[in-house]
């Protein structure tokens, strides 16, 4: 092989075993972007797949020496373009760092490399009677490193919190190439600023995460109870969510699926889901019995009070699983249709949910765009899915205008432009509008402090 | 009144109504330090007691203009010297900012000024069927602002988390005197770095908090069940804690009180507490019945398996309250003895708790210092209390040596030097040892980024 023309690539090849470095454009191509439709991406000088913290440190040091961008990447399941390559960068994939280093029952914690897949950690924890709650819909594929980088949410958040709530400590390679540990292994600790918390959700712009210590909970036992509500309008479903919350109920999952999604899942999986309602709400309670029965009854009553056309208790776990599978399958089912799909991720105060859903319908009609809705309803976190035929440029432009209008509507109603997917590229304009210039200046000051030469995932989050 | 010689004080008097500014040394004196025994403090140029965010901003702007230190202060119940004055500073007391701005049942959140007393927020939330969990033992006096500044813990943390887990958003006056809002009102949100989380626990060194939005939970109903275990040795009590945790039980409070504390409470309050055991463990469960009964029985079984001389269920809420009152009263009861008391705050991995308690006993014997122990046992968070007669200088020196040895022992066992009280002044050397130079450099970079002239509470946390 001739010596590479790029001195950075030459350094990487000299510093790492040969199989760690990919430069063939065909091989590199799948590493250049995540799943964010229409987010721009550039050409990478190389993709590296380190196996250890020391190898990550060598890569960062090389990029620092050459003052070249480094773009960390988990499984590439992101939906905001946060892992998208910029021209001349090195993409650092953590896919080969998938060791579960330790699971400690006495301390209820696990230590993992960043490339460990979410479901693999959950399975390993379950074998020890422990539970890692954060469960993004991408959990069969997404990695803990990526989940930490985006502060991923999921179905359990509504009762059990998001990724940040479970991160105790991180090993991080700094922009200077130093390996540091932030956070702690103890249940509590306030020694210095919470740098571990700051790294969570920073999308690879403040350091490269090489090891993660997460808090675990005791494994849940018993079968959760599920309540299903069928609603003739999205706003009635939104009302039901507000009512359940205001009554002090705490479902362990509380999801919304609209008719478009149900139809897509039926078409793909022949699931036989009901398609005659505008939306269904799925609420689950995991309290110990008989409290679960009482909470399920109270949820049922609120569904009826909000005008559900039908509300049923699902006592059959197989049936309940099928409904939650439909929630998880909605996104890939819509993808199966072969259309392009732009995913929204606004999060609203719960009391504004009904109003926001009405606005989404109005925006869809106004821009003549098909918008499907799935939502972590109990969190007020909506994922309107803007669907357009591939290659239909006018439709794409209409969808982008609708996307912008949804962001504006969320801000007008006191919401945030991103509940759990991250800023990446797609939400940069929205974030600027949300935070305002003074807070953006603070964000940039933090970035400048920890990455003075701007080599870590430049152009994301704070650009 | 003659014009003050200090131009900063002149500016403060010009910018604020006269009653906001205190300069008389006798009046100023109580504002110069918190409750940390032996932590140094300096002389303030003035104490200001603003009533609004605008007044706080005016104070910060004046300090910025004169490049003079500003030391924010809540109720002064801190135990690390974090609110101690430095020479020539302005002490900013939030005691007059005690408005509960809003309690929103639908969103389960409250908005408060920083000077609101913890128990006052809890009471106001309870009237709406809501609960603010963080409950430091100082809750009758300490303020939400101070709790946020130190990321305060408390008895509930073992199941419900610390102050940071409840902070959604903050209004902050930056070092430049700008008023900014960080965080959000929604259940989830990842728009930019988590600056609100970064401010929590930063002890006034990154900004002055002027308004706080906290998440609330539904008010707990039902009577918790209490299990009391009497142990002949501290290490047996430590073993019991490990056993309860490893079995996957989740007490809603899990406290340790040793014989010295029990005796002090008895002497002060004639409480009639048993004093023949070395320590008692108090565990509470707040699950709905009958799960609470089962969890209480399981805790009881682990107490017995760990060698408790006696373990009893307390079904009488009055009796249970008396025991938890004893826990809360231990600190003031010891103070009543008239001795000086230096409070430790190490936090250990739970499995090392027994070993740490043994080391504390050994350190007490070696340095000939009376050390009482209270602990948030379920968190591994120990508060050894080093007690010396006032004015006994040799005893004070022995106590300080013992304090250092406890810190070293905690670090050697994988713990942190401060679980919930904060770094302040007392834990600066310990924090440096815990974090190491690379992480300290990151901490300082963050401080420099947000407070480039070093006017906010200088010498605390990161000096």
């Amino acid at each position: 092989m001739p010596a590479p023309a790029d001195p950075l690539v030459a350094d990487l090849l000299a510093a790492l075993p040969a199989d760690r470095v990919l430069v063939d454009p065909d091989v590199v191509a799948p590493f250049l972007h995540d799943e964010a439709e229409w987010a721009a991406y550039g050409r990478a000088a190389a993709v590296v797949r380190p196996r250890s913290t020391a190898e990550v440190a060598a890569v960062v040091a090389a990029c620092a020496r050459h003052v070249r961008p480094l773009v960390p990447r988990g499984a590439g399941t992101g939906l905001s373009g946060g892992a998208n390559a910029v021209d001349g960068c090195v993409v650092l994939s953590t896919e080969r760092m998938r060791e579960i280093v330790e699971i400690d029952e006495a301390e209820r914690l696990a230590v993992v490399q960043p490339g460990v897949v979410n479901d693999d950690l959950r399975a390993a924890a379950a074998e020890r009677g422990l539970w890692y709650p954060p469960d993004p819909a991408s959990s069969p594929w997404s990695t803990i490193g990526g989940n930490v980088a985006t502060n991923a949410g999921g179905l359990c958040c509504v009762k059990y919190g998001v990724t940040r709530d479970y991160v105790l400590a991180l090993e991080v390679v700094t922009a200077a190439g130093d390996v540091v540990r932030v956070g702690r292994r103890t249940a509590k600790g306030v020694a210095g600023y919470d740098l571990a918390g700051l790294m969570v959700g920073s999308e690879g712009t403040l350091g490269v995460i090489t090891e993660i210590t997460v808090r675990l909970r005791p494994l849940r036992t018993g079968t959760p109870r599920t309540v299903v509500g069928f609603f003739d309008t999205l706003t009635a479903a939104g009302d039901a969510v507000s009512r359940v919350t205001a009554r002090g109920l705490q479902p362990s999952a509380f999801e919304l699926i609209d008719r478009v999604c149900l139809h897509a899942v039926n078409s793909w999986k022949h699931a036989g889901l009901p398609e005659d309602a505008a939306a269904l709400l799925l609420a689950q309670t995991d309290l110990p019995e008989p409290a679960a029965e009482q909470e399920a009854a109270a949820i049922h009553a609120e569904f009826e009070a909000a005008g559900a056309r039908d509300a049923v208790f699902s006592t059959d776990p197989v049936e309940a699983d099928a409904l939650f599978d439909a929630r998880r399958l909605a996104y890939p089912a819509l993808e199966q249709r072969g259309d392009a799909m732009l995913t929204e991720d606004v999060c609203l105060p719960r009391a504004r949910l009904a109003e926001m859903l009405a606005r989404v319908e109005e925006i869809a009609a106004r821009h003549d765009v098909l918008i499907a809705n799935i939502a972590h309803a109990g969190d007020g976190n909506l994922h309107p899915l803007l669907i357009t035929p591939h290659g239909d440029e006018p439709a794409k432009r209409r969808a982008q205008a609708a996307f912008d209008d949804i962001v504006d509507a969320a801000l007008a109603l006191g919401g945030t432009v991103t509940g759990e997917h991250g800023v990446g590229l797609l939400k940069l304009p929205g974030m600027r509008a949300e935070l305002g210039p003074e807070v953006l200046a603070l964000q940039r000051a933090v970035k400048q402090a920890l990455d003075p030469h701007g080599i870590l995932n430049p152009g994301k989050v704070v650009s």
Side-chain angles (χ1 to χ4, degrees), chain A residues 55 126 147-148 220 222 231 237 331 340 346 367 371 374 408 414-415 429 433 454:
Chain A
E55 290 185 3
N147 294 169
V148 171
R220 292 187 292 184
F231 294 86
Y331 190 87
V346 292
H367 291 285
I371 302 185
I374 46 178
D408 290 346

Side-chain angles (χ1 to χ4, degrees), chain A residues 370-387:
Chain A
L370 176 62
I371 302 185
N373 281 287
I374 46 178
H376 302 307
D379 287 318
N381 187 192
L382 300 184
H383 295 311
L385 305 166
L386 296 87
I387 301 162

Side-chain angles (χ1 to χ4, degrees), chain A residues 162-222:
Chain A
V162 293
T163 301
R164 175 176 287 117
D165 299 312
Y166 293 88
V167 173
L168 279 171
L170 297 171
E171 181 188 74
V172 174
V173 177
T174 69
D178 291 331
V179 179
V180 298
R181 288 189 166 271
V182 293
R184 59 184 199 279
R185 276 178 75 106
T186 49
K188 288 152 65 180
V190 290
Y193 304 138
D194 181 18
L195 297 183
L198 182 64
M199 292 284 169
V200 178
S202 68
E203 304 183 27
T205 65
L206 300 179
V208 182
I209 295 164
T210 49
E211 195 180 271
I212 301 144
T213 303
V214 292
R215 193 195 304 272
L216 303 173
R217 298 177 70 100
L219 195 61
R220 292 187 292 184
T221 55

Side-chain angles (χ1 to χ4, degrees), chain A residues 230-233 236-237 239-240 243 301-311:
Chain A
F230 299 88
F231 294 86
D232 283 332
T233 64
D239 274 339
R243 296 184 67 97
E302 296 302 332
F303 282 5
E304 295 206 320
R309 69 145 60 169
D310 195 12

Side-chain angles (χ1 to χ4, degrees), chain A residues 231-239 256-258 278-279 353-354 357-358 361 373:
Chain A
F231 294 86
D232 283 332
T233 64
L234 285 172
T235 52
D239 274 339
L256 177 146
I257 317 172
D258 80 355
L353 197 55
L357 285 164
E361 288 191 305
N373 281 287

Side-chain angles (χ1 to χ4, degrees), chain A residues 7 30 39 60 121 148-149 179 199 212 220 243 259 262 275 329 351 358 363 378 381 392 419 435 437:
Chain A
V60 178
L121 170 58
V148 171
V179 179
M199 292 284 169
I212 301 144
R220 292 187 292 184
R243 296 184 67 97
R259 184 190 281 134
L262 293 170
E275 291 180 38
L329 291 173
I363 289 166
N381 187 192
D392 183 338
L435 300 188

Side-chain angles (χ1 to χ4, degrees), chain A residues 367-369 386 388 392-403:
Chain A
H367 291 285
D368 185 23
V369 176
L386 296 87
T388 58
D392 183 338
E393 284 301 314
K396 177 176 166 180
R397 282 193 294 278
R398 293 197 306 274
Q400 285 176 321
F403 183 92

Side-chain angles (χ1 to χ4, degrees), chain A residues 16-167:
Chain A
L16 301 172
D19 71 306
R20 311 295 201 268
V21 185
L22 308 175
V23 292
D24 180 329
D26 291 341
V27 178
V28 162
F31 293 88
L32 297 184
H33 60 84
D34 65 15
E35 294 181 9
E37 196 71 37
W38 303 331
Y41 57 91
R43 287 194 295 193
V47 170
V48 293
R49 297 182 297 174
R51 289 185 179 274
S52 67
T53 298
E55 290 185 3
V56 172
V59 174
V60 178
C63 288
R65 212 156 47 235
H66 293 274
V67 197
R68 290 273 292 275
L70 179 79
V71 180
R73 173 189 177 84
T77 57
L79 291 162
S80 303
N84 282 15
V86 296
D87 279 338
C89 77
V90 173
V91 172
L92 187 154
S93 165
T94 60
E95 67 190 55
R96 291 182 169 184
M97 298 178 73
R98 11 181 73 171
E99 189 190 343
I100 295 175
V101 179
E102 177 188 0
I103 293 180
D104 185 330
E105 289 108 320
E107 303 303 331
R108 290 188 197 149
L109 60 78
V111 180
V112 302
Q113 286 192 308
V116 169
V117 169
N118 181 299
D119 274 358
D120 292 345
L121 170 58
R122 295 156 69 80
E127 284 176 16
R128 311 288 193 89
L130 293 166
W131 179 40
Y132 177 67
D135 58 346
S138 60
S139 66
W141 314 283
S142 66
T143 63
I144 301 297
N147 294 169
V148 171
T150 55
N151 189 20
L155 275 67
C156 291
C157 305
V158 65
K159 183 166 181 178
Y160 293 102
V162 293
T163 301
R164 175 176 287 117
D165 299 312
Y166 293 88
V167 173

